[in-house]
Amino acid sequence: MEFVPGRPPLPPPEAIIAAGHEWAVFLAPADPQMQHTPNEPYYYERKNGITTWIRPFDYIEPTDPNNPDAALNVGHKWQQAESERKRHAARIFAKQDTAVSQQFIDDTPWRRVETKQNRVFYYNNDTKESRWDQPVQVTQALQIMAEKEKEREAEGTEMNVDDAEWMLEQMQDEYMSDDESVDTHGANALPQTDERIALMDKSERIVQFKSMLHEAKVDPFGTWDSELDKVINDWRLTAITDDAERGDLFDTVCAEIIERRNQERKEPLVKSTDPFGDLLRENVVKKTSFAKFCQRNLKDPRYLSIKTSREREKRFVKHLESVIGAK
């Protein structure tokens, strides 16, 4: 038996058969920390996942006079087989994936699809093409949508002259008697917080309190005490004075937020065809006045989806009649 300097001698054949190991030699890559030298050989036993720098006693180095890399070829074949195994497993796993939500991209034939395994791909309704990378047409459409959104935000909530005059008339009619003049400088220019709440019935107070929590974007996984700071200066906080009832309404709002998030993940993203109607359904009860509705929702984008105050009032009156009729 030949002895190679620097390596342990080979074990007798019966010891190799008894061990039953499967060793292969690999060359280590360069190490920036210099813990080993580049191309230093190491040994890997694939049955038990053992790696060692020391030549195992039962390692038999393959030899081939026509192939000086015969020993390294064993490891290469193992790596190729392992890569193929992983690719096969990935294909099987991918076949089990299913779509859970989809978003149609405006002005394009494409839709964005999200799968159960949190993967995203794009599907063309016209050509039936599917692809993982985002198509250029989708990228351009999303940029246009983002620019339009910025323009809407830039418009802000400023009222034109007609809106401002109309709002002052509504506030004067509602909060002032016929023989009182509007005091634009004193404390009577607008009703105080307590007065606003005093004019509400129980159902409207609850609506105001819940709207406050939604607008404050409370953490649905937090507690009432931890989220109180977000609404401590909001006048609607005093719409409900009982601490236990506040806690119950907070829990209800948290459940609504969580449910909405779940629905947004599971259901296709569909734009509302009547955002102003949605706003009416969410905020109008039997005793809600139009002036209060406007004050409460002036900053809501859905409020601005109707351009003129007169049209908003017509929609409000029609919806309020249906609410009163239903009751």
Side-chain angles (χ1 to χ4, degrees), residues 24 35 48 61 89 108 120-121 153 160-161 167-168 192 194 202 214 225 261 297 303:
Q35 294 182 357
N48 300 294
E61 183 171 329
T108 75
V120 174
F121 69 92
E153 292 177 356
N160 57 33
V161 175
M167 180 64 74
L168 289 173
Q192 299 301 308
D194 291 343
K202 181 66 174 182
H214 280 291
D225 291 335
R261 290 180 181 177
N297 301 288
Y303 176 85

Side-chain angles (χ1 to χ4, degrees), residues 48-87:
N48 300 294
I50 302 171
T51 302
T52 179
W53 294 106
I54 302 173
R55 179 187 172 113
F57 76 93
D58 56 350
Y59 171 68
I60 300 179
E61 183 171 329
T63 58
D64 185 347
N66 298 321
N67 183 6
D69 295 327
L72 295 175
N73 285 346
V74 175
H76 291 163
K77 291 180 180 179
W78 288 8
Q79 290 176 323
Q80 292 173 357
E82 179 64 14
S83 298
E84 180 58 32
R85 185 194 66 79
K86 290 181 178 180
R87 285 194 294 268

Side-chain angles (χ1 to χ4, degrees), residues 5-16:
R7 295 184 179 180
L10 294 176
E14 59 269 18
I16 298 175

